[in-house]
Amino acid sequence: MANVTVIGAQWGDEGKGKIVDWLASRADAVVRFQGGHNAGHTLVVGEQTYKLSLLPSGIVRGTLSLIGNGVVLDPWALQAEIAKLEGQGVTINAGNFGIADNCPLILPLHRDLDGLREAAAGAGKIGTTGRGIGPAYEDKVGRRAIRVCDLAHLDALTPQLDRLCAHHDALRAGFGEPPVDREGLLAALREIAPFVLQYAQPVWKRLNEVRKGNARILFEGAQGVLLDVDHGTYPFVTSSNTVSGTAASGSGLGPNSTGFVLGIVKAYTTRVGSGPFPTELEDEVGQRLGERGHEFGTVTGRKRRCGWFDAVLVRQSCAISGVTGIALTKVDVLDGFAKVRICTGYRIHGQLVDYLPAHAADQAAAEPVYEEMDGWEGTTAGARSWADLPAQAIKYIRRIEELIETPVALVSTSPEREDTILVRDPFMD
């Protein structure tokens, strides 16, 4: 039996929540390995809808759920999310949930800095969620972060606070803001510490124990490969590595443990916020995709930009992340289109290119080269086998496989967990 790593192979919002929930019901442990509460996963279980931002998706099923060291943790957001889920009847305790004790914290000063920067950036806005993710990662690599384990030693925090405040006070002064309220920050940390520490543990050790028991581990990524700080459409990216290789460093298990890499891919393309988007449709077709796909961000509520499927980007994501197979989602949104299009290449400054270049100017200049196919009548919604799909929908799926050079492992045909066509079982690969 294999472990499985789940990543988004586009700009996020590919429908990871439903797929991770489907896999989590068969896993023994689920671990988040990067990002923060800027992620948004929606799970539909029967009549109940759960919206998660920070908690691993397995928690709804009672599966052991862990937050790895690669995540930046807002303890107040976590407290609110746990309270909300418990109000929906989900049981969360130290037996089924854990937080890496070396996980960095997102503090109020990080949210402040995020907002100040975006407000001052004008046309240079990146489009962050404003939740302090980027500044928290900066402090992590700057070796001035306050981590979960520090909450048990707040009386010894003075040297770290000195480093942290020296940095942030200078930045805040540049924006005309007062220095960090150190006593207020310490008081807030003392108040939240008991709540967080009840879940704190060496997650790397817990995962290694699970692995020795020959159990199934599901590594849950956030955002998408095209938002990776190295490989995404920089600077319009997130502040962490979202590729599958991060599952090892962000959880504490070695790279030989990450197993089958499942890339979640939407049957068309969407993006939230600023940045290049070669296949974006600002017409009635784009409007139709957004309305039928209910394309609004789980975290921000922002309307998503919509466009045709971009095989160039997905092929690039699959290569960078070593994707073993994809889970194709939201095929049903394309039901009823007379024609569907797939981007097979770009024309940039007159040259035909088969990848998205690194420079933002070249990305912005990319004009999609399309291949057009007949659409299909009837519906794919709720299909649970190939026999339930229209023939032309199958042709569309097979053409995507060819163009992205990666096989389909799953096809999702609705938000419901059981509306899934299993082609290749990731846990048995």
Side-chain angles (χ1 to χ4, degrees):
M1 295 184 293
N3 295 331
V4 177
T5 298
V6 175
I7 58 165
Q10 292 157 304
W11 277 296
D13 308 312
E14 302 94 348
K16 289 187 292 295
K18 179 256 180 86
I19 300 298
V20 171
D21 174 56
W22 187 85
L23 291 166
S25 66
R26 304 164 65 225
D28 299 290
V30 182
V31 57
R32 273 281 306 273
F33 59 84
Q34 52 79 216
H37 64 307
N38 54 343
H41 294 165
T42 300
L43 312 182
V44 179
V45 183
E47 299 297 317
Q48 188 73 269
T49 298
Y50 304 93
K51 293 185 182 294
L52 308 180
S53 293
L54 189 55
L55 289 166
S57 298
I59 199 69
V60 170
R61 299 284 175 183
T63 306
L64 174 62
S65 297
L66 303 168
I67 291 178
N69 58 276
V71 173
V72 284
L73 179 82
D74 184 322
W76 298 277
L78 175 68
Q79 187 177 47
E81 189 171 327
I82 287 178
K84 182 179 179 181
L85 282 182
E86 288 180 334
Q88 292 182 279
V90 178
T91 299
I92 301 172
N93 53 47
N96 65 2
F97 175 60
I99 304 168
D101 51 10
N102 54 344
C103 189
L105 298 179
I106 299 175
L107 305 172
L109 54 83
H110 295 129
R111 294 194 297 272
D112 292 346
L113 182 57
D114 212 350
L116 290 168
R117 282 175 171 168
E118 279 290 274
K125 285 184 179 180
I126 294 173
T128 76
T129 59
R131 300 190 171 208
I133 310 295
Y137 272 117
E138 290 175 37
D139 283 345
K140 174 184 176 177
V141 298
R143 294 165 293 181
R144 53 183 170 264
I146 295 174
R147 304 187 297 171
V148 168
C149 56
D150 293 319
L151 295 175
H153 302 276
L154 290 176
D155 290 337
L157 202 60
T158 299
Q160 286 162 271
L161 276 178
D162 288 343
R163 289 196 301 274
L164 184 68
C165 291
H167 178 77
H168 282 268
D169 286 349
L171 293 172
R172 292 168 70 92
F175 288 108
E177 294 293 315
V180 173
D181 178 2
R182 290 178 59 145
E183 292 306 313
L185 175 58
L186 263 175
L189 290 173
R190 289 188 193 282
E191 184 179 1
I192 199 70
F195 173 79
V196 177
L197 289 173
Q198 67 181 311
Y199 305 114
Q201 59 187 270
V203 160
W204 68 268
K205 187 172 184 295
R206 184 80 175 270
L207 284 171
N208 273 277
E209 289 168 355
V210 170
R211 183 190 176 199
K212 288 176 184 176
N214 198 31
R216 294 169 166 175
I217 300 172
L218 180 62
F219 298 86
E220 180 181 4
Q223 292 90 38
V225 172
L226 297 174
L227 293 175
D228 185 276
V229 70
D230 288 312
H231 299 288
T233 48
Y234 192 91
F236 304 101
V237 294
T238 193
S239 298
S240 61
N241 288 111
T242 61
V243 295
S244 61
T246 314
S249 61
S251 66
L253 278 179
N256 62 337
S257 303
T258 51
F260 189 106
V261 179
L262 183 68
I264 314 301
V265 177
K266 193 179 289 185
Y268 50 102
T269 311
T270 61
R271 178 166 199 171
V272 171
S274 306
F277 185 170
T279 66
E280 183 174 11
L281 298 171
E282 299 181 274
D283 57 12
E284 292 181 2
V285 175
Q287 181 82 8
R288 184 179 176 187
L289 287 171
E291 290 173 355
R292 295 194 63 184
H294 306 290
E295 296 297 350
F296 296 90
T298 301
V299 171
T300 63
R302 287 183 291 181
K303 184 178 179 181
R304 297 175 186 141
R305 301 153 64 191
C306 298
W308 292 119
F309 186 84
D310 192 330
V312 182
L313 288 179
V314 176
R315 181 173 62 243
Q316 191 164 325
S317 293
C318 289
I320 289 167
S321 265
V323 172
T324 316
I326 69 164
L328 191 65
T329 67
K330 290 199 167 185
V331 177
D332 53 301
V333 173
L334 298 179
D335 289 352
F337 279 85
K339 298 288 183 180
V340 290
R341 287 181 158 191
I342 300 175
C343 175
T344 59
Y346 305 129
R347 199 168 296 281
I348 303 176
H349 308 305
Q351 298 288 322
L352 193 61
V353 180
D354 63 355
Y355 68 98
L356 191 67
H359 198 278
D362 293 329
Q363 294 172 355
E367 300 175 9
V369 176
Y370 285 118
E371 177 179 303
E372 190 170 86
M373 300 177 65
D374 290 334
W376 52 89
E377 297 179 358
T379 181
T380 62
R384 298 184 181 183
S385 71
W386 286 115
D388 297 331
L389 296 176
Q392 198 60 35
I394 295 174
K395 288 182 181 179
Y396 179 76
I397 294 169
R398 292 306 189 196
R399 184 59 180 145
I400 285 175
E401 284 185 309
E402 292 174 1
L403 290 169
I404 68 173
E405 300 172 359
T406 308
V408 168
L410 301 165
V411 179
S412 171
T413 57
S414 93
E416 295 290 338
R417 182 162 71 97
E418 298 306 322
D419 291 342
T420 304
I421 300 171
L422 178 62
V423 182
R424 182 178 177 187
D425 189 338
F427 276 125
M428 300 304 293
D429 191 80

PDB file of all heavy atoms in Angstrom, residues 27 84 106 136 169 193 230 237-238 248 255 269 273 308 318 369 381 397 425:
ATOM      1  N   ALA A  27      -7.506   6.622   4.605  1.00  0.00           N
ATOM      2  CA  ALA A  27      -6.164   6.824   5.143  1.00  0.00           C
ATOM      3  C   ALA A  27      -6.154   6.655   6.658  1.00  0.00           C
ATOM      4  O   ALA A  27      -7.200   6.706   7.308  1.00  0.00           O
ATOM      5  CB  ALA A  27      -5.663   8.218   4.774  1.00  0.00           C
ATOM      6  N   LYS A  84     -15.949  26.316  15.232  1.00  0.00           N
ATOM      7  CA  LYS A  84     -16.978  26.212  14.195  1.00  0.00           C
ATOM      8  C   LYS A  84     -17.272  24.757  13.848  1.00  0.00           C
ATOM      9  O   LYS A  84     -18.437  24.347  13.746  1.00  0.00           O
ATOM     10  CB  LYS A  84     -16.537  26.973  12.945  1.00  0.00           C
ATOM     11  CG  LYS A  84     -17.576  26.964  11.836  1.00  0.00           C
ATOM     12  CD  LYS A  84     -17.094  27.747  10.631  1.00  0.00           C
ATOM     13  CE  LYS A  84     -18.117  27.708   9.507  1.00  0.00           C
ATOM     14  NZ  LYS A  84     -17.642  28.459   8.307  1.00  0.00           N
ATOM     15  N   ILE A 106       1.724  32.674  13.071  1.00  0.00           N
ATOM     16  CA  ILE A 106       1.308  33.949  12.468  1.00  0.00           C
ATOM     17  C   ILE A 106       0.768  34.811  13.606  1.00  0.00           C
ATOM     18  O   ILE A 106      -0.135  34.396  14.337  1.00  0.00           O
ATOM     19  CB  ILE A 106       0.215  33.747  11.407  1.00  0.00           C
ATOM     20  CG1 ILE A 106       0.722  32.872  10.259  1.00  0.00           C
ATOM     21  CG2 ILE A 106      -0.255  35.094  10.863  1.00  0.00           C
ATOM     22  CD1 ILE A 106      -0.350  32.523   9.236  1.00  0.00           C
ATOM     23  N   ALA A 136       4.902  36.015   7.864  1.00  0.00           N
ATOM     24  CA  ALA A 136       5.256  34.942   8.802  1.00  0.00           C
ATOM     25  C   ALA A 136       6.354  34.055   8.222  1.00  0.00           C
ATOM     26  O   ALA A 136       7.287  33.656   8.939  1.00  0.00           O
ATOM     27  CB  ALA A 136       4.027  34.106   9.146  1.00  0.00           C
ATOM     28  N   ASP A 169       9.397  46.901  13.982  1.00  0.00           N
ATOM     29  CA  ASP A 169       9.262  48.305  14.359  1.00  0.00           C
ATOM     30  C   ASP A 169       9.814  49.220  13.266  1.00  0.00           C
ATOM     31  O   ASP A 169       9.247  50.286  12.982  1.00  0.00           O
ATOM     32  CB  ASP A 169       9.981  48.578  15.686  1.00  0.00           C
ATOM     33  CG  ASP A 169       9.213  48.025  16.886  1.00  0.00           C
ATOM     34  OD1 ASP A 169       8.035  47.630  16.706  1.00  0.00           O
ATOM     35  OD2 ASP A 169       9.788  47.972  17.993  1.00  0.00           O
ATOM     36  N   ALA A 193      -1.902  30.294  24.579  1.00  0.00           N
ATOM     37  CA  ALA A 193      -0.925  29.208  24.724  1.00  0.00           C
ATOM     38  C   ALA A 193      -1.530  27.891  25.196  1.00  0.00           C
ATOM     39  O   ALA A 193      -1.267  26.837  24.592  1.00  0.00           O
ATOM     40  CB  ALA A 193       0.210  29.641  25.654  1.00  0.00           C
ATOM     41  N   ASP A 230       8.789  29.351  -6.129  1.00  0.00           N
ATOM     42  CA  ASP A 230       9.859  29.165  -7.108  1.00  0.00           C
ATOM     43  C   ASP A 230       9.337  28.924  -8.515  1.00  0.00           C
ATOM     44  O   ASP A 230       9.847  29.483  -9.491  1.00  0.00           O
ATOM     45  CB  ASP A 230      10.749  27.982  -6.706  1.00  0.00           C
ATOM     46  CG  ASP A 230      11.634  28.283  -5.515  1.00  0.00           C
ATOM     47  OD1 ASP A 230      12.272  29.339  -5.517  1.00  0.00           O
ATOM     48  OD2 ASP A 230      11.676  27.462  -4.585  1.00  0.00           O
ATOM     49  N   VAL A 237       2.384  34.901  -6.527  1.00  0.00           N
ATOM     50  CA  VAL A 237       2.456  33.544  -5.989  1.00  0.00           C
ATOM     51  C   VAL A 237       2.239  33.594  -4.478  1.00  0.00           C
ATOM     52  O   VAL A 237       2.131  34.664  -3.882  1.00  0.00           O
ATOM     53  CB  VAL A 237       3.827  32.901  -6.306  1.00  0.00           C
ATOM     54  CG1 VAL A 237       3.988  32.686  -7.806  1.00  0.00           C
ATOM     55  CG2 VAL A 237       4.978  33.765  -5.764  1.00  0.00           C
ATOM     56  N   THR A 238       2.189  32.424  -3.863  1.00  0.00           N
ATOM     57  CA  THR A 238       2.147  32.365  -2.410  1.00  0.00           C
ATOM     58  C   THR A 238       3.585  32.384  -1.876  1.00  0.00           C
ATOM     59  O   THR A 238       4.541  32.488  -2.648  1.00  0.00           O
ATOM     60  CB  THR A 238       1.367  31.125  -1.939  1.00  0.00           C
ATOM     61  OG1 THR A 238       1.083  31.238  -0.541  1.00  0.00           O
ATOM     62  CG2 THR A 238       2.123  29.831  -2.218  1.00  0.00           C
ATOM     63  N   ALA A 248       7.861  16.237   2.079  1.00  0.00           N
ATOM     64  CA  ALA A 248       8.874  15.637   2.952  1.00  0.00           C
ATOM     65  C   ALA A 248       9.404  16.651   3.966  1.00  0.00           C
ATOM     66  O   ALA A 248       9.373  16.414   5.173  1.00  0.00           O
ATOM     67  CB  ALA A 248      10.018  15.075   2.114  1.00  0.00           C
ATOM     68  N   PRO A 255      11.841  11.933   1.770  1.00  0.00           N
ATOM     69  CA  PRO A 255      11.235  11.969   0.438  1.00  0.00           C
ATOM     70  C   PRO A 255      10.814  10.600  -0.092  1.00  0.00           C
ATOM     71  O   PRO A 255      10.016  10.527  -1.024  1.00  0.00           O
ATOM     72  CB  PRO A 255      12.321  12.599  -0.440  1.00  0.00           C
ATOM     73  CG  PRO A 255      13.587  12.430   0.331  1.00  0.00           C
ATOM     74  CD  PRO A 255      13.210  12.455   1.771  1.00  0.00           C
ATOM     75  N   THR A 269      -9.952  26.239 -16.379  1.00  0.00           N
ATOM     76  CA  THR A 269      -8.931  26.918 -15.588  1.00  0.00           C
ATOM     77  C   THR A 269      -9.533  28.106 -14.845  1.00  0.00           C
ATOM     78  O   THR A 269     -10.372  28.823 -15.404  1.00  0.00           O
ATOM     79  CB  THR A 269      -7.784  27.426 -16.484  1.00  0.00           C
ATOM     80  OG1 THR A 269      -7.342  26.365 -17.339  1.00  0.00           O
ATOM     81  CG2 THR A 269      -6.602  27.889 -15.642  1.00  0.00           C
ATOM     82  N   GLY A 273      -7.313  36.624  -7.935  1.00  0.00           N
ATOM     83  CA  GLY A 273      -6.308  37.657  -7.733  1.00  0.00           C
ATOM     84  C   GLY A 273      -5.546  38.013  -8.995  1.00  0.00           C
ATOM     85  O   GLY A 273      -5.910  37.615 -10.113  1.00  0.00           O
ATOM     86  N   TRP A 308     -10.530  28.609 -20.534  1.00  0.00           N
ATOM     87  CA  TRP A 308     -10.457  27.240 -21.049  1.00  0.00           C
ATOM     88  C   TRP A 308      -9.300  26.469 -20.403  1.00  0.00           C
ATOM     89  O   TRP A 308      -8.379  27.067 -19.844  1.00  0.00           O
ATOM     90  CB  TRP A 308     -10.262  27.250 -22.563  1.00  0.00           C
ATOM     91  CG  TRP A 308     -11.428  27.743 -23.362  1.00  0.00           C
ATOM     92  CD1 TRP A 308     -11.455  28.815 -24.204  1.00  0.00           C
ATOM     93  CD2 TRP A 308     -12.747  27.173 -23.420  1.00  0.00           C
ATOM     94  NE1 TRP A 308     -12.691  28.958 -24.775  1.00  0.00           N
ATOM     95  CE2 TRP A 308     -13.510  27.955 -24.317  1.00  0.00           C
ATOM     96  CE3 TRP A 308     -13.355  26.074 -22.800  1.00  0.00           C
ATOM     97  CZ2 TRP A 308     -14.848  27.686 -24.610  1.00  0.00           C
ATOM     98  CZ3 TRP A 308     -14.683  25.797 -23.081  1.00  0.00           C
ATOM     99  CH2 TRP A 308     -15.422  26.585 -23.979  1.00  0.00           C
ATOM    100  N   CYS A 318       2.739  19.104 -13.744  1.00  0.00           N
ATOM    101  CA  CYS A 318       2.910  17.666 -13.533  1.00  0.00           C
ATOM    102  C   CYS A 318       4.383  17.272 -13.608  1.00  0.00           C
ATOM    103  O   CYS A 318       4.844  16.426 -12.841  1.00  0.00           O
ATOM    104  CB  CYS A 318       2.096  16.878 -14.561  1.00  0.00           C
ATOM    105  SG  CYS A 318       0.311  16.945 -14.304  1.00  0.00           S
ATOM    106  N   VAL A 369      -2.738  29.140 -28.005  1.00  0.00           N
ATOM    107  CA  VAL A 369      -3.023  28.446 -29.256  1.00  0.00           C
ATOM    108  C   VAL A 369      -3.994  27.327 -28.912  1.00  0.00           C
ATOM    109  O   VAL A 369      -3.679  26.461 -28.084  1.00  0.00           O
ATOM    110  CB  VAL A 369      -1.731  27.872 -29.883  1.00  0.00           C
ATOM    111  CG1 VAL A 369      -2.062  27.072 -31.140  1.00  0.00           C
ATOM    112  CG2 VAL A 369      -0.747  28.994 -30.193  1.00  0.00           C
ATOM    113  N   ALA A 381     -22.812  14.920 -14.680  1.00  0.00           N
ATOM    114  CA  ALA A 381     -23.003  15.124 -13.245  1.00  0.00           C
ATOM    115  C   ALA A 381     -23.459  13.837 -12.564  1.00  0.00           C
ATOM    116  O   ALA A 381     -24.434  13.197 -12.986  1.00  0.00           O
ATOM    117  CB  ALA A 381     -24.027  16.225 -12.998  1.00  0.00           C
ATOM    118  N   ILE A 397     -11.509  13.962 -22.052  1.00  0.00           N
ATOM    119  CA  ILE A 397     -10.638  13.515 -20.954  1.00  0.00           C
ATOM    120  C   ILE A 397      -9.387  12.832 -21.507  1.00  0.00           C
ATOM    121  O   ILE A 397      -8.264  13.082 -21.050  1.00  0.00           O
ATOM    122  CB  ILE A 397     -11.405  12.572 -20.010  1.00  0.00           C
ATOM    123  CG1 ILE A 397     -12.536  13.346 -19.303  1.00  0.00           C
ATOM    124  CG2 ILE A 397     -10.467  11.953 -18.975  1.00  0.00           C
ATOM    125  CD1 ILE A 397     -13.514  12.455 -18.562  1.00  0.00           C
ATOM    126  N   ASP A 425      -6.253   3.342  -8.330  1.00  0.00           N
ATOM    127  CA  ASP A 425      -6.297   3.590  -6.902  1.00  0.00           C
ATOM    128  C   ASP A 425      -4.916   4.053  -6.412  1.00  0.00           C
ATOM    129  O   ASP A 425      -3.963   3.271  -6.383  1.00  0.00           O
ATOM    130  CB  ASP A 425      -6.704   2.313  -6.168  1.00  0.00           C
ATOM    131  CG  ASP A 425      -6.990   2.552  -4.679  1.00  0.00           C
ATOM    132  OD1 ASP A 425      -6.486   3.554  -4.138  1.00  0.00           O
ATOM    133  OD2 ASP A 425      -7.689   1.730  -4.073  1.00  0.00           O
TER     134      ASP A 425
END
